[in-house]
Amino acid sequence: LAFLELMTPNLQDRAASLLFEGFERIVILPMFIAQGGHLRNDLPLILDELRQRNPQVAFELASPVGEVESVVQAMAAHVLTLSEA
């Protein structure tokens, strides 16, 4: 778990701890509903920095969790339960 702002650990610190543990592949799963400024602007810069500093490690960026079909369906199902109340 890592945060992009206001909370700790940040992504750089979390990656450092995983690297210390010996991980050679790190998959970043953004816990965002959609592509916003953080995903379009901030995260690519952080990933570029991590990749440059650690070329031996595979840093992979997954799609935001809010764009995964099963999550979209779960959100839609939840909305429907609200209309029943």
Side-chain angles (χ1 to χ4, degrees), residues 11-26 49-51 53-59:
L11 185 54
Q12 297 91 325
D13 291 343
R14 186 63 185 129
S17 68
L18 294 172
L19 295 170
F20 181 77
E21 292 180 41
F23 285 87
E24 296 176 352
R25 177 177 176 250
I26 298 174
E49 174 190 333
L50 289 170
R51 288 174 177 141
R53 289 186 179 186
N54 307 283
Q56 76 285 5
V57 177
F59 289 95

Side-chain angles (χ1 to χ4, degrees), residues 27-42:
V27 178
I28 292 94
L29 172 62
M31 300 298 286
F32 289 93
I33 299 296
Q35 297 277 340
H38 281 310
L39 294 182
R40 285 192 308 265
N41 304 315
D42 304 330

Side-chain angles (χ1 to χ4, degrees), residues 73-85:
Q73 293 300 320
M75 289 187 292
H78 178 66
V79 169
L80 292 175
T81 66
L82 296 175
S83 66
E84 297 170 0

